[in-house]
């Protein structure tokens, strides 16, 4: 491969010199003075012995190329046209040997052949030429030995399996740094013959991320998706988190079940004392300083780690970045990309005074840390002393840990290995990020390091935004890919799941129903910011419900009717989750409520896992009591306070009661919601309202005894009956819903039966009510009505549930089977 080719004129001169050097002085002297017509013949006779000693296999050269090469040398030698073939024999030989596609074979001469090829000049000239040929042969043998060494595999040269033309190389990539502004910032797409270091197929790549709060926990998922999408190696994530992020991410990864991915958490609250003494003006707050203490936080036997901000998106295999560790030299311990804004140059505005930095400084959104060397260099003491000294004049940091990293590097430039800027393309306003790439294939890591995030100004921002949105809405279930050929740690949850599924009979007509019970759905708790302050009287109640995308319009109305905390489980795809996010962020009603917990359960399978959703919402209740409702019901105004008073009145804390809220329905999309029980009774009499499902499924709510409720002024107790499915308020420790019931049918009935088996008392509240709002039939109820096998499987599951009840509760559970047979 040719690098740094000389200008055409110099090349022509060097070719002539090389050709002439192959002739001895005597021969050249003999040929001097001849005309151009005879000069070629003279030179041919001088070159013949050398040609008889070596055989060079040359590639065919296109005539157009010869013409171009002639054009480059026109005017350099007057006899060039006449001696074209002889002139280019050494040139083409040199070119072909350089590329490596050559074959040199020494041919021994017989005495007769030697005599016939003896030049006119005599024995002395022959001896000089033979010495020259032997020297050339020795050079060829040495070159053959060099080229006979086995080359590394293409994957070793190109970690991502791409083309050579997409590999970029800069002066800074060799670890020497490059302070030449434009040169350091511009990364070409030129060829690179330097073989890239190999990352073993099964080598674990360690990634550290500081993450705190609800929003950062949501952002980091997109980063993780982009890494998982491209990765070919096992990954070990090290999350430094607060309690909120740990709860969210531990649940997410536990239910994600991605093979060859390990996750560890480190309590950020325990690290606050290490950095809380540093005043920080950056919006990341105290957590923006915690990358400084990673040498102390991460395991002592961990030698190297890639540190990432949460607003990073990968466009390539992270193993390529991991391979850069092999390029560190000397005392280099930090791998960083140059900052692409003018921040550290101090010229952004008048009296702008940034922290000290080397040139433009470095951005810490992507860091390669050699932890073992940093510990030997006493990194903790180094950054602390630097921060203390600079804070005496700077008073606070503006860019959190980045200011301190740069101040340390300013004093110790040997610590840094400058990465090519495509490893951290910084998309904030007024950066030089456009100089980091010439083509899409140049992009490696995109960093949304502006508070504006996706609204940042950049010539190619639409492309970057679309790339980000691709991972944002990408189905995370597709990332559960096995890394074949790599041993992985035993995942007992995954093994138990596979064992359970293998025991199911795939020929069973109800196999899909049974399988759904054991499906692990990826779950993202607290998708939006959540705030809840526990009440001092321990009477607080949380409304629990579940929904899919087609019921999203009910959220605002429920929030207006219920002022207390709400726990909602939403069954959405990744793309729908982003639609919900935009909907919620655009709603003043929803954004004004901090006490609503939104928990995303991601879609998988063909059934709506209604009872799983209810269980997820119940598990996130923070109050002593919960009101088990459905999303298409609007509770009466003031129901929240009424239920809290009932907790005290009926001594809920010391008894097992289920308080029944009578359910009604309307067929009108526009309803003047009744403000009182009297108004409701009036609408009931007028036919505007009806008791819930009175004309379709009377048994579901008949035990409520609506006739008695009309005149009741005090709570009254009712008995369980077959198919009873009221909406109730219970203590938080009540049993969960049975997951075998999916879609439509028996999902609430089974739960109420379980409460009765555990001797809960059903008490109807005389002044409480809720109204079901009309909507189009769900997909599951349509399947129930149209699919006979669906109904057969539901009946089978009911019978199995009743048998399980009999085994668990003994003689007391016989009434459920009897009641079912009589109904």
């Amino acid at each position: 491969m040719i690098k740094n080719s000389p200008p055409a004129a110099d090349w022509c001169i060097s070719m002539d010199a090389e050709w002439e050097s192959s002739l001895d002085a005597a021969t050249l002297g003999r040929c001097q003075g001849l005309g151009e017509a005879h000069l070629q013949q003279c030179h041919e006779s001088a070159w013949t012995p050398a040609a008889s000693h070596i055989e060079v296999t040359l590639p065919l050269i296109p005539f157009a190329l010869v013409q171009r090469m002639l054009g480059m040398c026109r005017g350099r030698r007057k006899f060039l046209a006449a001696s074209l073939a002889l002139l280019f024999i050494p040139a083409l030989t040199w070119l072909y040997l350089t590329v490596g596609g050559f074959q040199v074979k020494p041919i021994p001469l017989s005495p007769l052949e030697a005599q016939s090829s003896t030049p006119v000049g005599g024995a002395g000239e022959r001896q000089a030429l033979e010495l020259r040929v032997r020297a050339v042969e020795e050079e060829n043998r040495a070159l053959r030995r060099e080229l006979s060494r086995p080359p590394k595999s293409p994957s070793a040269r190109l970690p991502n399996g791409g083309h050579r033309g997409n590999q970029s190389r800069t002066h800074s990539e060799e670890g020497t740094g490059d302070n030449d502004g434009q040169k350091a910032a511009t990364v070409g797409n030129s060829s690179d013959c330097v073989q890239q270091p190999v990352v073993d197929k099964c080598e674990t790549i360690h990634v550290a991320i500081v993450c705190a709060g609800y929003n950062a926990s949501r952002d980091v998922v997109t980063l993780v998706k982009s890494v998982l999408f491209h990765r070919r190696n096992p990954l070990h994530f090290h999350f430094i988190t607060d309690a909120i992020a740990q709860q969210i991410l531990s649940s997410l990864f536990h239910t994600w079940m991605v093979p060859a991915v390990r996750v560890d958490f480190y309590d950020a609250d325990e690290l606050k004392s290490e950095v809380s003494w540093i005043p920080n003006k950056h919006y990341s707050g105290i957590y923006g300083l915690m990358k400084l203490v990673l040498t102390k936080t991460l395991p002592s036997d961990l030698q190297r780690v890639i540190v990432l901000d949460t607003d990073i998106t990968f466009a390539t295999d992270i193993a390529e970045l991991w391979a850069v560790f092999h390029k560190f030299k000397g005392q280099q311990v930090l791998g960083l990309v140059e900052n692409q804004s003018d921040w550290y140059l101090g010229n952004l505005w008048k009296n702008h005074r940034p922290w000290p930095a080397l040139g433009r400084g470095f951005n810490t959104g992507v860091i390669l840390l050699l932890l073992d060397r940093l510990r030997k260099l006493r990194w903790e003491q180094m950054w602390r002393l630097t921060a203390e000294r600079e804070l005496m004049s700077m008073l606070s940091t503006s860019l959190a840990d980045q200011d301190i990293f740069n101040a340390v590097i300013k004093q110790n430039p040997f610590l840094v290995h400058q990465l090519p800027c495509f490893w951290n393309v910084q998309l904030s306003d007024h950066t030089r990020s456009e100089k980091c790439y010439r083509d899409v294939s140049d992009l490696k890591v995109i960093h949304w390091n502006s508070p504006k995030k996706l609204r940042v100004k950049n010539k190619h921002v639409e492309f970057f935004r679309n790339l980000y949105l691709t991972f944002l809405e990408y189905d995370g279930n597709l990332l559960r890919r096995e890394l074949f050929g790599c041993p992985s740690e035993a995942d007992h949850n995954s093994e138990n799941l596979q064992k359970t599924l293998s025991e199911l009979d795939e020929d069973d007509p109800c196999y899909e129903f049974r399988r759904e019970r054991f499906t692990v759905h990826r779950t993202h708790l607290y998708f939006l910011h959540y705030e809840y302050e526990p009440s001092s009287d321990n009477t607080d109640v949380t409304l629990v419900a579940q929904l899919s995308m087609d019921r999203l319009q009910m959220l605002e109305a429920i929030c207006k009717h219920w002022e207390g905390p709400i726990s909602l489980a939403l069954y959405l795809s990744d793309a729908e989750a982003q639609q919900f996010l935009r909907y919620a962020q655009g709603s003043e009603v929803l954004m004004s409520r901090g006490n609503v917990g939104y928990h995303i359960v991601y879609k998988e399978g063909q059934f709506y896992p209604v009872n799983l959703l209810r269980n997820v919402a119940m598990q996130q209740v923070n109050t002593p009591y919960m009101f088990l409702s459905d999303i298409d019901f609007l509770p009466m105004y003031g129901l929240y306070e009424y239920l809290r008073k009932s907790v005290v009145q009926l001594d809920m804390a010391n008894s097992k009661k289920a308080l029944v809220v009578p359910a009604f329905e309307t067929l009108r999309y526009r309803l003047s919601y009744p403000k009182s029980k009297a108004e409701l009774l009036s609408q009931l009499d007028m036919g505007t309202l009806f008791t819930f499902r009175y004309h379709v499924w009377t048994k579901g709510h008949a035990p409520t005894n609506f006739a008695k409720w009309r005149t009741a002024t005090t709570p009254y107790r009712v008995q369980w009956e077959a198919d009873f499915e009221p909406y109730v308020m219970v203590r938080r420790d009540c049993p969960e819903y049975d997951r075998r019931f999916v879609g439509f049918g028996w999902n609430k009935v089974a739960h109420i039966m379980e409460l009765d088996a555990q001797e809960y008392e059903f008490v109807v509240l005389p002044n409480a009510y809720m109204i079901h709002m009309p909507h189009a039939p769900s997909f599951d109820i349509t399947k129930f009505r149209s699919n006979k096998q669906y109904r057969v499987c539901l009946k089978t599951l009911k019978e199995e549930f009743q048998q399980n009840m009999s085994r668990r509760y003994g003689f007391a559970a016989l009434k459920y089977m009897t009641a079912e047979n009589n109904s």
Side-chain angles (χ1 to χ4, degrees):
M1 198 169 290
I2 302 174
K3 284 191 175 183
N4 301 325
S5 300
D10 296 339
W11 179 82
C12 294
I13 294 171
S14 66
M15 289 295 97
D16 291 342
E18 183 173 341
W19 175 64
E20 291 175 358
S21 67
S22 64
L23 305 178
D24 61 286
T27 303
L28 290 174
R30 191 181 75 247
C31 294
Q32 292 292 332
L34 298 177
E36 290 188 12
H38 303 285
L39 185 62
Q40 178 181 359
Q41 183 178 2
C42 180
H43 284 170
E44 286 176 348
S45 67
W47 185 254
T48 303
S52 68
H53 276 73
I54 61 174
E55 174 185 335
V56 181
T57 304
L58 295 173
L60 294 176
I61 306 299
F63 181 70
L65 176 61
V66 174
Q67 282 186 317
R68 287 198 301 272
M69 297 168 72
L70 276 173
M72 289 191 295
C73 301
R74 185 175 292 116
R76 303 301 302 172
R77 294 289 185 270
K78 293 181 180 180
F79 61 87
L80 185 59
S83 58
L84 173 64
L86 293 178
L87 179 63
F88 282 97
I89 286 176
L92 296 178
T93 302
W94 170 77
L95 176 62
Y96 193 64
L97 292 179
T98 304
V99 174
F102 67 94
Q103 180 181 1
V104 181
K105 300 179 181 178
I107 303 177
L109 295 175
S110 65
L112 183 60
E113 290 171 328
Q115 291 177 7
S116 65
S117 61
T118 302
V120 180
E125 294 172 335
R126 170 188 172 131
Q127 184 178 8
L129 286 171
E130 286 181 341
L131 290 174
R132 170 64 179 164
V133 169
R134 291 192 190 100
V136 171
E137 288 181 297
E138 285 299 322
E139 293 176 1
N140 289 338
R141 290 192 193 98
L143 189 55
R144 272 203 314 275
R145 286 195 299 271
E146 180 68 19
L147 294 175
S148 65
R149 297 177 181 174
K152 293 185 179 180
S153 64
S155 62
R157 293 192 298 272
L158 306 175
N160 64 346
H163 303 290
R164 288 188 188 90
N166 290 338
Q167 299 302 307
S168 302
R169 177 173 176 263
T170 64
H171 178 64
S172 62
E173 191 169 353
E174 297 301 320
T176 57
D178 187 356
N179 297 323
D180 188 19
Q182 180 79 11
K183 182 178 178 180
T186 304
V187 177
N189 208 26
S190 59
S191 298
D192 183 3
C193 294
V194 179
Q195 292 181 341
Q196 301 292 332
V198 173
V199 176
D200 184 75
K201 174 184 177 182
C202 298
E203 181 178 353
T204 299
I205 296 174
H206 293 266
V207 181
I209 303 172
V210 179
C211 181
Y214 301 98
N215 294 337
S217 300
R218 188 176 63 245
D219 294 339
V220 80
V221 176
T222 308
L223 161 60
V224 171
K225 280 184 181 180
S226 69
V227 173
L228 291 177
F229 181 84
H230 297 286
R231 66 105 178 210
R232 300 177 183 176
N233 287 71
L235 297 172
H236 188 165
F237 288 101
H238 303 264
F239 287 104
I240 296 85
T241 62
D242 62 354
I244 294 169
Q246 180 172 348
Q247 178 189 11
I248 296 171
L249 295 178
S250 61
S251 172
L252 177 66
F253 280 97
H254 178 73
T255 54
W256 204 340
M257 300 181 70
V258 183
V261 170
R262 177 179 170 183
V263 180
D264 283 327
F265 294 92
Y266 308 84
D267 190 355
D269 292 333
E270 295 181 358
L271 304 174
K272 286 183 177 180
S273 60
E274 301 285 339
V275 293
S276 59
W277 56 275
I278 304 174
N280 179 27
K281 294 180 179 179
H282 193 256
Y283 61 82
S284 59
I286 192 171
Y287 299 101
L289 298 164
M290 290 191 175
K291 283 184 279 188
L292 294 166
V293 296
L294 290 180
T295 54
K296 187 175 181 179
T297 307
L298 299 178
S300 58
D301 59 345
L302 182 59
Q303 297 183 352
R304 61 187 65 177
V305 68
I306 297 173
V307 187
L308 303 173
D309 280 355
T310 58
D311 52 1
I312 290 288
T313 304
F314 265 78
T316 191
D317 189 350
I318 196 172
E320 293 183 46
L321 181 57
W322 186 259
V324 178
F325 276 116
H326 298 292
K327 297 185 178 183
F328 281 36
K329 299 177 182 178
Q331 291 183 291
Q332 292 174 344
V333 291
L334 304 168
L336 293 164
V337 171
E338 185 182 52
N339 200 46
Q340 291 158 22
S341 75
D342 293 341
W343 177 270
Y344 287 107
L345 299 180
N347 58 9
L348 293 183
W349 58 79
K350 187 178 181 181
N351 298 326
H352 175 217
R353 185 165 170 257
W355 276 56
L358 194 64
R360 289 186 167 274
F362 295 91
N363 184 278
T364 56
V366 177
I367 315 176
L368 271 60
L369 290 183
L370 276 179
L371 296 171
D372 51 344
R373 293 189 194 175
L374 279 168
R375 294 181 182 113
K376 292 177 182 177
L377 290 172
R378 302 178 69 182
W379 168 254
E380 286 285 325
Q381 181 178 356
M382 186 182 297
W383 75 259
R384 283 178 180 275
L385 291 176
T386 301
E388 290 172 356
R389 182 181 63 250
E390 297 300 333
L391 283 171
M392 293 178 67
S393 57
M394 300 301 299
L395 303 181
S396 67
T397 61
S398 297
L399 300 181
D401 63 88
Q402 184 169 301
D403 285 337
I404 298 176
F405 270 104
N406 275 288
V408 173
I409 293 170
K410 175 74 172 179
Q411 296 296 320
N412 308 277
F414 59 87
L415 296 176
V416 69
H417 174 96
Q418 184 171 338
L419 304 176
C421 66
F422 52 61
W423 284 119
N424 186 352
V425 179
Q426 299 150 38
L427 296 183
S428 56
D429 292 340
H430 312 299
T431 68
R432 306 190 308 162
S433 59
E434 296 172 14
K435 299 180 180 180
C436 290
Y437 54 89
R438 295 179 182 175
D439 194 72
V440 172
S441 58
D442 292 332
L443 295 170
K444 304 290 185 182
V445 175
I446 300 168
H447 186 188
W448 303 89
N449 63 322
S450 167
K452 296 180 180 179
K453 300 305 177 188
L454 298 186
R455 294 178 288 105
V456 71
K457 295 179 181 178
N458 181 280
K459 186 166 64 176
H460 305 111
V461 69
E462 279 300 318
F463 170 80
F464 294 121
R465 188 183 291 120
N466 290 335
L467 179 65
Y468 176 81
L469 293 176
T470 297
F471 292 116
L472 192 70
E473 300 182 355
Y474 189 81
D475 185 354
N477 298 327
L478 301 178
L479 298 171
R480 292 169 169 162
R481 297 193 300 256
E482 291 281 354
L483 295 183
F484 296 105
C486 292
S488 58
E489 297 181 7
D491 185 346
H492 299 297
N493 292 329
S494 180
E495 291 176 354
N496 293 336
L497 175 61
Q498 294 302 321
K499 181 181 179 181
T500 301
L501 293 177
S502 65
E503 294 173 353
L504 298 177
D505 181 9
E506 294 191 22
D507 296 327
D508 182 356
C510 301
Y511 170 77
E512 293 298 335
F513 282 86
R514 302 186 192 282
R515 178 185 174 87
E516 177 59 39
R517 179 181 182 182
F518 303 105
T519 301
V520 178
H521 290 263
R522 182 167 44 103
T523 304
H524 188 136
L525 304 177
Y526 298 101
F527 198 67
L528 296 178
H529 184 79
Y530 179 75
E531 292 181 3
Y532 169 71
E533 291 292 334
S535 62
S536 57
D537 58 2
N538 292 322
T539 63
D540 215 349
V541 184
T542 298
L543 185 147
V544 173
Q546 40 72 37
L547 69 151
S548 54
M549 198 68 181
D550 58 346
R551 299 289 191 271
L552 208 58
Q553 71 279 1
M554 291 295 298
L555 291 181
E556 289 191 353
I558 288 178
C559 287
K560 292 177 181 178
H561 280 250
W562 180 275
E563 62 270 26
I566 303 175
S567 181
L568 298 172
L570 298 88
Y571 192 57
L572 306 173
S573 66
D574 292 76
E576 287 174 340
Q578 298 309 312
Q579 295 177 36
F580 159 70
L581 178 62
R582 291 190 289 271
Y583 170 80
Q585 290 177 337
S587 168
E588 294 183 7
V589 174
L590 300 186
M591 286 295 96
S592 65
R593 293 288 298 274
N595 61 348
V596 181
Y598 302 96
H599 316 295
I600 308 297
V601 177
Y602 288 100
K603 287 184 175 180
E604 186 173 1
Q606 59 175 304
F607 295 106
Y608 184 75
V610 57
N611 280 355
L612 168 66
L613 297 172
R614 287 175 172 142
N615 291 341
V616 168
M618 287 169 59
Q619 291 162 4
Q620 304 312 313
V621 169
N622 300 311
T623 58
Y625 305 96
M626 51 190 179
F627 173 43
L628 306 180
S629 181
D630 273 340
I631 195 64
D632 38 18
F633 277 90
L634 288 182
M636 73 174 196
Y637 292 107
L639 181 61
Y640 169 62
E641 290 297 334
Y642 180 67
L643 291 179
R644 292 185 65 178
K645 293 176 180 178
S646 299
V647 166
V648 178
Q649 180 183 359
L650 298 173
D651 193 22
M652 290 283 291
N654 301 309
S655 60
K656 296 174 70 172
K657 291 186 176 69
L659 304 187
V660 177
V661 177
F664 299 86
E665 68 176 337
T666 180
L667 302 180
R668 300 183 180 183
Y669 284 88
R670 292 188 177 183
L671 172 71
S672 176
Y673 199 93
K675 303 295 192 299
S676 64
K677 179 178 178 179
E679 191 174 334
L680 180 139
L681 292 174
S682 175
Q683 294 186 8
L684 194 64
D685 294 335
M686 293 172 59
T688 306
L689 296 177
F690 308 92
T691 56
F692 185 56
R693 291 293 186 260
Y694 84 99
H695 58 298
V696 177
W697 185 244
T698 307
K699 295 189 297 183
H701 294 266
T704 302
N705 196 343
F706 288 99
K708 184 175 181 178
W709 181 81
R710 292 179 68 101
T711 59
T713 57
T714 59
Y716 58 94
R717 182 176 177 181
V718 296
Q719 299 296 321
W720 174 88
E721 296 179 17
D723 298 322
F724 190 30
E725 51 177 0
Y727 294 94
V728 297
M729 183 188 79
V730 291
R731 292 195 315 223
R732 186 174 56 186
D733 60 356
C734 85
E736 294 186 342
Y737 289 82
D738 194 297
R739 278 197 60 187
R740 83 185 76 201
F741 297 106
V742 296
F744 177 82
W746 252 65
N747 45 73
K748 291 195 301 293
V749 171
H751 186 246
I752 295 299
M753 187 181 294
E754 184 91 21
L755 294 181
D756 183 68
Q758 294 193 15
E759 299 181 346
Y760 274 73
E761 295 181 20
F762 296 98
V763 179
V764 181
L765 297 175
N767 295 308
Y769 56 88
M770 58 196 302
I771 299 177
H772 179 267
M773 305 305 293
H775 57 75
S778 67
F779 181 63
D780 290 279
I781 196 172
T782 303
K783 286 194 295 184
F784 172 82
R785 292 170 177 171
S786 62
N787 190 327
K788 180 180 178 181
Q789 186 59 48
Y790 192 109
R791 297 191 297 272
V792 170
C793 288
L794 179 59
K795 182 178 180 181
T796 301
L797 296 176
K798 287 167 55 178
E799 293 172 352
E800 292 176 358
F801 174 76
Q802 290 169 340
Q803 292 171 5
N804 291 342
M805 291 282 288
S806 298
R807 285 192 294 268
R808 291 165 58 194
Y809 298 105
F811 180 78
L814 291 177
K815 68 175 183 178
Y816 305 122
M817 301 185 68
T818 304
E820 180 66 21
N821 293 331
N822 294 334
S823 62

